[in-house]
Amino acid sequence: MAGQTETKPRASDVTADGGRPAASGRIGENHFFRWAFLLPTVLILLVIAIFPMVNSIWNSMHWYTLSQPDQKRFIFLENYGQLLFRDSIFWDSMKTTILYSLGAVGLQFIIGLAIALLMDRRMKGIGLLRTLFMIPILVSPVVSGLTWRFMYEPSGLINWLMGLIHLPPVGWISTPGPALPAVIITDVWQWTPFFVLVLLAGIQSIPREVVEAAALDGLSSGQYLWKILLPLIRPVALVVLLIRMMDTIRIFDAIYILTGGGPAKATLIGSIYTYVLFFKAFDAGVASALSWIIVILVNILGFFLLRFLAQESTQEQKGLAPESSPSA
Amino acid sequence: MAPEYSDQLPDSAKHYAELSRRARQARLSRRNFLLALGMQAGLIGVASNLVGCSQATPATPAPATAKAAGGKDVAYDTSANIVYWGEAGERWEWPERGVMPMFNKIWPNIKTEVYAGPIGDMLPKIQIALASKTDKYDVISQDYYFVPMNIKGGQIEKIQPYLDRDPAWRDDLYKDVPEVVLDTYRDKPAKQGGELYGLPPDSNSQLFYYRKDVFEKAGIKAPPKTWDDTIGVAKQLTGGKQYGYIATLRRGQWAAGVFTCLYWSHGGIFFGSEDWANMKGDQWKVNIHDDAAAQALKVAQELIKYAAPGVLNAVDDEANGLMADGTGVMGPNLWGGSVLTQEKTSKFWNVMGTTVSPAGSGPKGKPAPTMGGLGLIMPVGSKNKEAAWAFMKFMVSPDVVKTPSGEEIQFGKAWVENFGQPSRNSLLQKYASVQSYFPALGDSLKVAHRYWPIAENGALMEAVGTHFASFLVGDIKDTQFMDNVERDCNDILKKAGYFS
């Protein structure tokens, strides 16, 4: 090309991983635009993600209320101490969060697996059925919350249906007993299709020969489920469980719309209690501390699930999978 | 020796391979990085200034130079664009919009931009905006129980000097709006020399709503005057699909409002004293291990037996819904409003009675509904304070207002017909035929009890309301309720420095 200086790349510029040169510390003068284009992303990330996170850690160590933001003062870990050792509502909210998470994700896994097994077949219209099944995922949590709220109302659809079979009306989201199961059901309705989607993909990735071999060996359905299917889809299942566990621990919108955390503390999960502390009690310090406790909780959970997943994967690579696993 | 990879490429591809190689070799000098950063900051600065300039509004003159209309107040030729932030819907936005043409008739050059949002989400947003000393808004409609927080935080303008410019109007306001309502916008009570930081176009209190037809059918001649009698009536009226008790008992501030009404009406005072301006040290300690709390909890525990499904998680929308569709027939301390007494929103609007909430039993017993209401405040950051004051003052006008040309404007009628709930007693009385609950509201305001006038109000109410709701569902006993409330509230107050 005219005016272009041909420069052959030097061998030292190409590394074993396919070309990216090792950092040499040299300062080049001609690549201003490369960084100029990168900078907006870095700046945005700093402003909307990194700074708020660091700032919230800082806030969590202060007495900081919105009534007197100018009077902010450093109290180190006192807000954490207040939550962990003196605040009974905090422990109730943590208990509710865990119950909600286990209940919702557990049910979603069981129902999702059952539906995925039913859908793992060739039949007319199965494609359409699978597509229809995904619709709840597409619904916004606020819309889903409002819809279910109307259905749960004393004079709502569910009580009307119960009335048809002469059952008395139930205060689904207004009495403490059924409130938590009611919000779990809403989450199950919305997110079971996600389990179906992922588990179905896992089931369909099982080699045909394995399925045929199991049939030839005369395995019963139960044996096939426990000894073949579940071990083979375990990595996929763990990933989907991890994602949904994290989601349910930090869920806010649907429960806020459905019950506002009530009645009493029946559905007051951690994220809603954080909201209450910040936006109702205006205590930014304690609210920040609580949000970090939730972050730590999610991370601990994620750490153990990922570690479990990594162990599984290592075992499989080393050929140390349990005898029941067909991959061994 | 193996050929270099670029030797294997066609000429056109070699060019891109070379560019790619250079890019990989690239390092960023500190100088270039700072230059890029500076350029971007400069660009952002220029862009934001351009946007800012395009939105700038002309500032009104400072109070000292403002020409007084009729020698008294804001000049009629004042020119400004003001931004008003208020709660959407009836009671607030509708009456304000209803009288806006009248405001424009008097101050044609003050243009008002109205932002209205749902009240539930708005109040925290307002507080965050005020905490940041926003200059975006000139007038904000604020729930009175946040006002002590705004005063303490130096977030709102003292409006007493503005008010004092027109003594005749001020004295009429003092005469017409109950002192207890005005006090909610003062730094301390008027009797202790408090000064105003807000003006209330709106007032509210809990009211006793009941179905007159159902009472008549049951042979109950008048609504009960005491809480003990109320329990009996609730029991009598409950049966089949009909329930004798409706309340707003959602955890948090809704439930707290119900408890405070019961507690105050049994003579409770929550703190060591209610002499707000002179309280010191341990007088700020919450102590509710008393008869008033025990009585209040007992009444609540009895009434809840006759509550409709839904009450335990109800805010006013749900509670009003239960009364409007006939599920509930008595709400002894529901929040005042026109929902239940207008044809469009209630099946039983024409048989809905209203009166003052019951008194507690015992020698200290008295009716003490919890007070509500929203007022207009001026953020310290407002750049159009004169025009903002004109707007605030107009929204609390008496029944008839005169324009500069002498024309009389029926302000009160427009306000009330657009579902406003005025703070002026004269309007509540005059328009009782328009809104049948106005006389009961006027009577209630005479005995209503305000939330605690301290900045930590919201946090205390959350604590009280959460434990009260837990008590109602049987999670905790009465003594645990008292322990929990004292512990949590005293923690909040101690951290805020009320006592050590």
Side-chain angles (χ1 to χ4, degrees):
Chain A
M1 203 175 278
Q4 189 187 331
T5 312
E6 287 289 333
T7 314
K8 285 186 179 180
R10 289 168 303 182
S12 61
D13 292 340
V14 183
T15 58
D17 67 349
R20 193 173 290 271
S24 66
R26 281 189 300 113
I27 294 173
E29 296 292 324
N30 301 322
H31 305 287
F32 166 75
F33 284 107
R34 178 184 176 191
W35 289 96
F37 287 128
L38 193 61
L39 205 58
T41 312
V42 175
L43 280 176
I44 290 169
L45 202 65
L46 276 171
V47 171
I48 67 167
I50 310 295
F51 171 73
M53 278 176 70
V54 174
N55 192 43
S56 78
I57 296 177
W58 186 238
N59 286 343
S60 75
M61 296 180 189
H62 284 78
W63 180 78
Y64 181 31
T65 79
L66 292 189
S67 58
Q68 300 153 81
D70 306 338
Q71 306 293 316
K72 189 173 173 179
R73 64 171 191 269
F74 186 73
I75 53 172
F76 195 37
L77 297 176
E78 202 179 312
N79 289 329
Y80 291 91
Q82 178 186 323
L83 285 167
L84 294 170
F85 304 113
R86 291 200 302 278
D87 189 341
S88 59
I89 302 171
F90 164 76
W91 286 111
D92 286 338
S93 76
M94 286 296 108
K95 194 175 85 183
T96 309
T97 306
I98 290 166
L99 279 176
Y100 174 78
S101 185
L102 290 177
V105 176
L107 278 173
Q108 281 163 26
F109 180 76
I110 294 166
I111 299 170
L113 181 62
I115 295 172
L117 285 169
L118 287 173
M119 285 192 167
D120 180 32
R121 61 191 63 203
R122 284 182 190 162
M123 55 182 270
K124 214 174 177 182
I126 191 75
L128 179 67
L129 194 64
R130 282 176 193 160
T131 310
L132 289 175
F133 229 83
M134 299 307 137
I135 288 174
I137 304 178
L138 306 177
V139 176
S140 134
V142 173
V143 174
S144 145
L146 276 172
T147 309
W148 279 90
R149 185 170 134 188
F150 291 135
M151 292 202 296
Y152 281 138
E153 294 222 328
S155 54
L157 178 71
I158 295 174
N159 277 333
W160 178 77
L161 288 172
M162 286 170 62
L164 293 180
I165 49 171
H166 305 290
L167 288 172
V170 174
W172 290 102
I173 51 171
S174 56
T175 41
L180 188 60
V183 294
I184 287 175
I185 288 169
T186 306
D187 197 75
V188 168
W189 171 81
Q190 181 149 38
W191 289 104
T192 299
F194 181 59
F195 273 80
V196 175
L197 196 70
V198 178
L199 294 178
L200 185 60
I203 292 168
Q204 288 181 338
S205 69
I206 297 173
R208 212 72 220 158
E209 308 84 67
V210 175
V211 181
E212 283 162 7
L216 283 173
D217 285 348
L219 261 63
S220 67
S221 301
Q223 284 172 318
Y224 174 74
L225 181 70
W226 287 109
K227 295 184 184 293
I228 308 281
L229 192 130
L230 283 177
L232 280 179
I233 64 165
R234 184 147 52 191
V236 175
L238 279 174
V239 169
V240 73
L241 280 171
L242 177 67
I243 293 170
R244 287 299 302 144
M245 278 282 197
M246 288 181 180
D247 272 352
T248 50
I249 286 173
R250 62 184 179 79
I251 191 172
F252 175 81
D253 34 20
I255 298 185
Y256 181 70
I257 296 288
L258 256 175
T259 64
K265 293 176 285 185
T267 59
L268 187 70
I269 60 165
S271 57
I272 292 188
Y273 189 39
T274 310
Y275 172 85
V276 166
L277 285 170
F278 191 96
F279 290 100
K280 301 287 181 184
F282 299 120
D283 195 334
V286 180
S288 301
L290 177 52
S291 61
W292 276 100
I293 291 175
I294 294 172
V295 168
I296 291 166
L297 184 72
V298 170
N299 275 287
I300 290 172
L301 190 75
F303 172 78
F304 283 113
L305 277 171
L306 283 173
R307 203 171 158 181
F308 187 55
L309 192 62
Q311 276 175 350
E312 287 286 311
S313 165
T314 313
Q315 276 185 335
E316 277 178 21
Q317 279 174 7
K318 288 179 180 173
L320 297 175
E323 278 186 10
S324 58
S325 167
S327 63
Chain B
M1 194 175 160
E4 294 209 31
Y5 77 97
S6 59
D7 295 342
Q8 299 166 3
L9 299 172
D11 280 352
S12 59
K14 279 179 185 169
H15 168 62
Y16 295 106
E18 170 56 17
L19 289 179
S20 167
R21 186 191 67 77
R22 287 186 189 178
R24 288 199 306 270
Q25 275 188 306
R27 296 290 178 274
L28 180 69
S29 71
R30 277 185 292 275
R31 195 180 68 187
N32 276 349
F33 182 82
L34 290 171
L35 189 61
L37 189 70
M39 276 179 67
Q40 291 196 31
L43 280 171
I44 290 166
V46 170
S48 61
N49 266 318
L50 285 173
V51 172
C53 288
S54 69
Q55 289 179 346
T57 55
T60 46
T65 56
K67 186 182 156 194
K72 285 173 186 168
D73 217 342
V74 186
Y76 294 136
D77 59 356
T78 300
S79 175
N81 293 350
I82 59 169
V83 180
Y84 166 64
W85 194 10
E87 292 74 13
E90 66 171 55
R91 222 184 106 187
W92 306 295
E93 183 195 359
W94 293 0
E96 283 150 2
R97 286 196 189 276
V99 298
M100 206 68 90
M102 300 175 178
F103 176 73
N104 291 333
K105 225 172 187 177
I106 300 174
W107 283 280
N109 299 323
I110 299 179
K111 307 290 177 210
T112 312
E113 202 177 326
V114 178
Y115 287 123
I119 185 168
D121 297 330
M122 239 188 82
L123 296 173
K125 285 181 190 166
I126 288 175
Q127 190 45 43
I128 290 167
L130 287 171
S132 71
K133 307 270 170 80
T134 178
D135 64 354
K136 196 177 171 190
Y137 307 102
D138 299 294
V139 181
I140 294 178
S141 173
Q142 172 76 303
D143 196 311
Y144 84 87
Y145 86 73
F146 292 116
V147 171
M149 190 189 301
N150 304 144
I151 295 173
K152 193 170 183 179
Q155 297 156 355
I156 54 174
E157 195 73 15
K158 187 194 287 187
I159 56 122
Q160 190 72 44
Y162 294 85
L163 187 64
D164 290 341
R165 285 195 227 155
D166 189 348
W169 194 90
R170 177 197 63 199
D171 295 344
D172 176 62
L173 180 85
Y174 286 176
K175 210 170 80 184
D176 206 8
V177 179
E179 189 169 293
V180 67
V181 174
L182 285 173
D183 271 354
T184 57
Y185 300 93
R186 288 190 168 106
D187 50 355
K188 52 189 171 183
K191 287 190 176 75
Q192 295 174 335
E195 294 184 295
L196 278 165
Y197 283 75
L199 280 187
D202 171 87
S203 67
N204 202 12
S205 160
Q206 290 173 341
L207 299 179
F208 192 124
Y209 283 89
Y210 64 101
R211 283 270 299 281
K212 288 189 274 190
D213 57 330
V214 175
F215 270 52
E216 206 175 299
K217 203 173 160 189
I220 304 164
K221 288 180 183 162
K225 297 276 183 204
T226 66
W227 283 109
D228 286 345
D229 291 345
T230 306
I231 295 168
V233 172
K235 185 179 179 182
Q236 189 182 342
L237 298 178
T238 301
K241 289 182 178 174
Q242 179 179 295
Y243 296 88
Y245 180 58
I246 302 294
T248 52
L249 289 171
R250 176 171 289 186
R251 173 200 52 74
Q253 289 163 10
W254 291 99
V258 174
F259 172 76
T260 49
C261 169
L262 289 168
Y263 182 60
W264 289 324
S265 67
H266 284 90
I269 59 166
F270 207 71
F271 293 99
S273 161
E274 283 195 340
D275 182 10
W276 306 114
N278 300 309
M279 282 164 66
K280 280 179 190 149
D282 282 356
Q283 281 183 311
W284 281 110
K285 277 194 177 163
V286 173
N287 181 359
I288 60 162
H289 276 89
D290 54 23
D291 285 347
Q295 287 293 321
L297 294 174
K298 201 173 144 192
V299 168
Q301 207 167 30
E302 283 300 314
L303 282 173
I304 205 71
K305 293 176 187 168
Y306 312 110
V311 160
L312 277 169
N313 205 25
V315 300
D316 55 358
D317 283 349
E318 285 90 6
N320 286 336
L322 289 165
M323 288 291 285
D325 70 9
T327 307
V329 292
M330 182 172 78
N333 55 352
L334 289 178
W335 286 101
S338 61
V339 171
L340 297 178
T341 50
Q342 55 177 305
E343 196 172 358
K344 278 183 185 171
T345 46
S346 173
K347 272 188 197 174
F348 306 99
W349 66 281
N350 55 346
V351 286
M352 193 63 72
T354 47
T355 185
V356 179
S357 291
S361 52
K364 289 183 184 171
K366 60 186 176 189
T370 305
M371 192 190 288
L374 276 74
L376 301 179
I377 53 168
M378 193 193 297
V380 284
S382 163
K383 291 173 184 162
N384 301 292
K385 294 197 169 82
E386 277 299 300
W389 168 244
F391 179 86
M392 287 172 74
K393 190 180 167 193
F394 180 78
M395 290 296 161
V396 198
S397 290
D399 193 28
V400 178
V401 180
K402 275 191 180 175
T403 66
S405 62
E407 184 195 345
E408 288 193 342
I409 291 173
Q410 301 295 314
F411 174 91
K413 189 168 181 281
W415 188 266
V416 169
E417 284 181 348
N418 284 290
F419 303 100
Q421 196 169 289
S423 60
R424 284 182 178 266
N425 206 25
S426 58
L427 299 186
L428 289 174
Q429 283 175 4
K430 183 170 179 185
Y431 293 103
S433 57
V434 180
Q435 294 292 355
S436 63
Y437 71 100
F438 276 2
L441 177 60
D443 291 343
S444 287
L445 288 173
K446 290 175 192 160
V447 292
H449 197 299
R450 65 168 298 168
Y451 288 121
W452 311 293
I454 58 172
E456 293 69 24
N457 221 341
L460 299 186
M461 295 298 281
E462 273 302 322
V464 171
T466 301
H467 294 305
F468 184 55
S470 297
F471 167 78
L472 289 173
V473 300
D475 282 353
I476 53 173
K477 292 191 171 122
D478 53 358
T479 49
Q480 282 173 298
F481 166 80
M482 295 174 199
D483 290 342
N484 291 352
V485 167
E486 284 183 12
R487 183 197 60 222
D488 289 358
C489 291
N490 287 331
D491 260 1
I492 292 163
L493 294 164
K494 189 177 171 185
K495 273 170 86 178
Y498 284 83
F499 50 83
S500 50

